[in-house]
Amino acid sequence: MAADNQNHHHPSHGDNNYTDLSQVLAPGSSNPATPRLPPISAPPSQFHSPSLSRSPLLVLSPDRVVTAPVSATRTPRRLRTPRFITPLGSPLRKALHMTRLDPNDAWLPITESRNGNAAYAAFHTLCSGIGIQALVLPVAFTALGWAWGIICLTLAFTWQLYTLYILVQLHESVDTGVRYSRYLQLATAALGERFTKLLATFPILYLSAGTSMASIVIGGSTLKLLFQTICGGACSSAHDPTTVEWYLIFTFAAVLLAQLPNLNSIAGVSLVGAVTAVGYCTNIWAVSVAEGRMPGVSYDPVRAGSDLERLLSVLNAVGIVAFAFRGHNLVLEIQATMPSSEKHPSTVPMWKGVKFAYALIAMCIFPLAIGGYWAYGQLIPQGGMLPALFAYHGQDTSRFILGLTSFFVVVNAVSSFQLYAMPTFDQMESMVVTRLKGPCPWWIRASLRVGFGFACFFVAVAMPFLGSMAGLIGGIALPVTLAYPCFMWLNVKKPTKYSKMWILNWVLGVFGLALSGALIAAGVYVVIDTGVKASFFKPI
């Protein structure tokens, strides 16, 4: 018996002993002389992995699997019991084989803290879902008209909400216990590594770094507008900060706030960003509607000369509507901040938060588009509602309302910078964590984030003409929102061929890719036809 015990002894961690699963699960391994085996203890790396559940670890007996007593799995106070979702109705061997644990997750900013809830999800989703691009929606109506403008806006809202629902459902797999905490991870698992590298990596990086750079441009320009609104004619233009200096001031504020360690820690920032987003959208459309329609306003769609120009005008309008909705590249990351177990999956609180956030988004976007087009019609500037507010109502609207609206835009831009930069922070720190095989030191983390912020500032100042190529780049990024989630659902869920879900996802996925291709073609034509003024280091 002593020899037998010696053969079954394995290295231990703390007071727990490891059990050879291959001997326990192998056919004919049951031994009536051995009524009970010791509990299975997770390797040390699993204690740090936030990918597991809080369910007690498993005890294997020769004839059944039971739950281990709490005392048998007690860990030091500073460590949480691992999060492990055990698939129902599947062999334990398959579950352990299919579950991929990444101990580095405990040291990365997206998955470092998993104490999120439905309220945090609503804050993040609302802050990332409303942006300055929504203020340009009335411009799309000038080419589409009333009927088609409202139809396109409603269809786009419904479509992107459906793909958002798909991503929430695909975040964790009940069959394998895997949590896909990042969009690229899910894309790689569902669509393949080669496809993800070719067609998904650039759009995701653009939506992160590109939106961060756009936040600097928008925030810096609006800071200048806020300064002019407050000062009025009392300020000396000779000593006013330049546009580049306003960009720099905004970047300092964004980089300082970026030192918050992880995605959960910026929940308060997202709340402030969400409140200010709702605030400036409501202010702008309410003031525009209250002031009434502009004299000589017309609602006839703008008709270009040739058929090709009319087609490109319509495509550009559809692109504006599609680009008004954003944040899909952050959905899985937001859901990754929540605890999850077999009985309490993260899908439930996440979807509650998303529904609340998108109810508010709808109450902002639809009045903004419809009310803005009603007030300005074809007179709406190409820049959208914010320039229209200052151009047409700058003299007859109180300086307080104008300044408050500008202040809300600036604060929302700072908050959006934190959210959209987080995947890039996560990627950079992942390389450090992998190399050090430990947490990223605070000074390296701070240096990386400061470097990223000022790199975005440099690009914003060096190439301000990139905004004229937004249609082209936006067309490339569009499948992340409207097409790829449908194909992911087909590959992961594998619905019955020719069923309703199979047909729906195929139609939406193919149409999303076709729309993306049309917008890219239109963007290339516009760049070639109108040209791009490469005014390096000369922001307006």
Side-chain angles (χ1 to χ4, degrees):
M1 177 64 76
D4 182 72
N5 291 336
Q6 183 177 1
N7 291 336
H8 288 281
H9 179 71
H10 293 273
S12 62
H13 177 70
D15 297 331
N16 297 321
N17 294 327
Y18 292 98
T19 300
D20 191 346
L21 292 180
S22 62
Q23 296 181 17
V24 174
L25 297 174
S29 61
S30 62
N31 186 357
T34 308
R36 179 172 297 181
L37 293 176
I40 298 175
S41 175
S45 64
Q46 293 187 11
F47 285 117
H48 300 284
S49 175
S51 300
L52 308 179
S53 74
R54 287 185 185 144
S55 304
L57 296 175
L58 302 179
V59 175
L60 296 182
S61 63
D63 55 349
R64 67 186 187 278
V65 178
V66 297
T67 304
V70 176
S71 60
T73 60
R74 182 168 298 167
T75 58
R77 187 174 183 84
R78 65 185 181 87
L79 300 175
R80 304 296 297 270
T81 307
R83 294 189 160 280
F84 182 50
I85 301 176
T86 303
L88 295 175
S90 60
L92 183 60
R93 179 194 293 273
K94 179 180 178 181
L96 293 175
H97 175 71
M98 292 296 295
T99 302
R100 297 176 177 85
L101 307 178
D102 187 359
N104 294 340
D105 271 358
W107 301 315
L108 298 178
I110 289 177
T111 49
E112 188 175 41
S113 172
R114 293 206 189 247
N115 298 320
N117 51 45
Y120 285 13
F123 301 158
H124 292 316
T125 305
L126 187 54
C127 182
S128 63
I130 300 182
I132 200 72
Q133 74 280 357
L135 301 180
V136 193
L137 279 172
V139 178
F141 279 54
T142 61
L144 297 173
W146 275 117
W148 283 108
I150 295 175
I151 290 173
C152 288
L153 182 60
T154 304
L155 289 177
F157 179 82
T158 307
W159 188 355
Q160 60 84 34
L161 188 59
Y162 170 70
T163 56
L164 194 62
Y165 171 79
I166 286 178
L167 292 174
V168 171
Q169 298 300 316
L170 293 180
H171 171 75
E172 51 195 7
S173 172
V174 178
D175 294 330
T176 64
V178 178
R179 293 187 71 178
Y180 300 105
S181 300
R182 297 157 185 86
Y183 193 103
L184 287 177
Q185 288 179 350
L186 177 60
T188 301
L191 304 177
E193 185 175 359
R194 180 177 299 179
F195 178 90
T196 302
K197 287 182 178 179
L198 290 177
L199 298 178
T201 302
F202 173 75
I204 292 296
L205 292 178
Y206 166 74
L207 288 172
S208 178
T211 305
S212 301
M213 184 192 69
S215 297
I216 293 177
V217 174
I218 294 167
S221 302
T222 312
L223 260 179
K224 180 179 180 181
L225 190 63
L226 175 62
F227 177 78
Q228 294 172 347
T229 302
I230 294 174
C231 290
C235 298
S236 173
S237 59
H239 298 89
D240 289 351
T242 64
T243 303
V244 174
E245 290 171 339
W246 285 118
Y247 286 5
L248 187 61
I249 294 171
F250 180 89
T251 304
F252 272 115
V255 166
L256 181 64
L257 204 55
Q259 301 310 313
L260 292 172
N262 53 62
L263 190 53
N264 254 346
S265 66
I266 64 171
V269 177
S270 294
L271 173 60
V272 174
V275 172
T276 53
V278 174
Y280 74 71
C281 287
T282 305
N283 272 357
I284 291 174
W285 73 258
V287 170
S288 300
V289 171
E291 293 291 339
R293 293 187 295 178
M294 297 298 299
V297 66
S298 172
Y299 302 115
D300 295 329
V302 176
R303 302 297 182 187
S306 64
D307 292 338
L308 178 60
E309 290 176 342
R310 285 196 293 270
L311 176 62
L312 292 175
S313 177
V314 170
L315 284 175
N316 181 64
V318 172
I320 291 174
V321 173
F323 302 155
F325 304 103
R326 63 178 192 173
H328 283 57
N329 60 305
L330 296 174
V331 173
L332 297 175
E333 285 80 351
I334 294 171
Q335 193 170 351
T337 64
M338 296 184 174
S340 186
S341 66
E342 194 173 3
K343 292 183 179 179
H344 303 286
S346 62
T347 302
V348 177
M350 181 65 188
W351 185 238
K352 286 182 180 179
V354 168
K355 287 189 293 185
F356 176 80
Y358 269 82
L360 291 179
I361 290 173
M363 288 190 288
C364 291
I365 285 182
F366 280 88
L368 194 63
I370 298 173
Y373 187 57
W374 176 84
Y376 304 111
Q378 301 299 335
L379 300 176
I380 186 80
Q382 289 298 312
M385 292 288 285
L386 189 61
L389 178 66
F390 280 86
Y392 296 120
H393 305 299
Q395 302 300 321
D396 51 6
T397 303
S398 70
R399 190 183 300 177
F400 172 77
I401 295 297
L402 296 176
L404 183 64
T405 302
S406 300
F407 175 75
F408 282 168
V409 172
V410 172
V411 174
N412 176 257
V414 174
S415 304
S416 297
F417 181 94
Q418 313 307 318
L419 267 177
Y420 279 90
M422 195 61 70
T424 304
F425 295 161
D426 187 85
Q427 183 66 27
M428 293 189 299
E429 292 177 29
S430 175
M431 294 185 287
V432 177
V433 166
T434 302
R435 185 177 182 85
L436 297 181
K437 297 181 180 179
C440 183
W442 69 267
W443 60 273
I444 295 181
R445 170 177 283 186
S447 301
L448 290 174
R449 298 186 179 192
V450 170
F452 172 78
F454 283 97
C456 291
F457 164 77
F458 177 80
V459 175
V461 173
M463 294 181 286
F465 57 87
L466 287 180
S468 60
M469 301 176 64
L472 173 61
I473 302 177
I476 298 174
L478 187 65
V480 172
T481 300
L482 299 181
Y484 294 161
C486 299
F487 293 122
M488 292 177 190
W489 177 273
L490 290 169
N491 287 345
V492 173
K493 296 297 184 180
K494 301 187 184 305
T496 305
K497 198 172 184 180
Y498 303 119
S499 63
K500 291 181 180 179
M501 291 300 296
W502 187 88
I503 295 174
L504 175 64
N505 284 283
W506 267 111
V507 170
L508 293 179
V510 171
F511 186 70
L513 290 179
L515 179 60
S516 173
L519 293 177
I520 292 173
V524 171
Y525 177 84
V526 169
V527 170
I528 295 175
D529 185 56
T530 62
V532 175
K533 296 180 180 179
S535 54
F536 292 97
F537 297 98
K538 293 180 180 179
I540 299 176

